[in-house]
Amino acid sequence: MTDFDADGSVAATAPGGVLPVVRRVRAEEWAEVRDVRLEMLRDPAAPMAFLDTYANAASQPETYWQNRTTAAAAAQTVVQYVAEVPPGGRTGADAVAGTGTDGAGLPGRWVGSATGILEQPGSEDFEGQPVEVRQVHVVGVWLHPDHRGRGVIQRMIDAVVAWGVEREVERARLYVHADNARAQGAYRKAGFVPSGNAFIGSTGRELEMVRALH
């Protein structure tokens, strides 16, 4: 299974009814990147959805998370966006989007994450599958249950795809476990359709879904 998950089910309204801000991670936020990763790996769907385990992630040193976050914040080949509920549940002009803090210096709460990997034609991806066109591969998609069913997953994916468009990709693609019907539904809402390609991956049968950009 590739390193992502999504849930297309309708969820209860989040506390305060506040929609999270979607923004790119910042290089200094390695601890937050680590914490949201560990929360993702506690999800009941994690064994089917992610190419990692909680035990493995929790054992990584700080330098691992620092290097990972620096790349996701500034590199041209990988990007990570998060969904952040502003401090006190505030939005719009009352929240400082993109900083992770409000005027009092209080951190927002990260409730979701999505990552993109730039792939070049002629190479192989992390599952050993061929890359035929310049594309962004969407991975690491997760959202806290309290915020599902409100379009936040689609907004995170759209942000990753927009990053790919800036790098002149021809399409976006992702893999989804054949048994993960809810994730498939969420990805369809984000504009992805099955390509017809399937393979046996690290955690079972994977389906490829793509989103044309031209």
Side-chain angles (χ1 to χ4, degrees):
M1 180 64 177
T2 60
D3 191 12
F4 65 86
D5 187 32
D7 190 331
S9 63
V10 175
T13 302
V18 176
L19 284 174
V21 173
V22 174
R23 65 172 181 86
R24 190 171 183 175
V25 300
R26 300 165 72 90
E28 65 271 19
E29 296 177 318
W30 65 267
E32 290 85 349
V33 167
R34 177 197 61 199
D35 292 348
V36 77
R37 180 69 174 173
L38 293 176
E39 188 169 6
M40 291 163 61
L41 293 170
R42 292 189 188 100
D43 192 292
M48 178 174 63
F50 301 109
L51 289 179
D52 200 359
T53 65
Y54 180 89
N56 178 68
S59 71
Q60 299 301 323
E62 290 183 359
T63 52
Y64 169 86
W65 298 105
Q66 291 164 353
N67 293 337
R68 180 182 178 122
T69 307
T70 297
Q76 295 297 306
T77 56
V78 62
V79 69
Q80 182 178 1
Y81 282 88
V82 293
E84 178 185 49
V85 176
R90 297 183 298 168
T91 58
D94 293 329
V96 183
T99 66
T101 62
D102 67 2
L106 298 175
R109 169 162 166 70
W110 290 14
V111 297
S113 179
T115 296
I117 301 170
L118 184 64
E119 296 179 333
Q120 301 289 356
S123 63
E124 292 185 348
D125 66 19
F126 50 84
E127 283 281 20
Q129 299 302 303
V131 177
E132 298 176 352
V133 299
R134 184 176 173 87
Q135 61 192 14
V136 59
H137 198 135
V138 182
V139 301
V141 180
W142 174 81
L143 186 66
H144 190 281
D146 286 349
H147 296 271
R148 295 174 184 172
R150 307 170 70 209
V152 180
I153 283 175
Q154 289 73 34
R155 289 169 54 214
M156 290 193 298
I157 291 175
D158 283 348
V160 171
V161 171
W163 173 87
V165 170
E166 291 176 352
R167 284 147 187 81
E168 301 180 339
V169 299
E170 294 184 35
R171 71 174 188 177
R173 84 159 167 183
L174 52 79
Y175 299 145
V176 60
H177 197 283
D179 295 334
N180 198 340
R182 293 190 302 177
Q184 293 172 40
Y187 294 142
R188 286 190 178 91
K189 290 180 181 178
F192 288 79
V193 297
S195 70
N197 294 329
F199 65 96
I200 302 300
S202 303
T203 60
R205 187 166 181 265
E206 298 284 333
L207 307 178
E208 181 188 57
M209 299 183 74
V210 299
R211 175 172 160 180
L213 302 175
H214 298 287

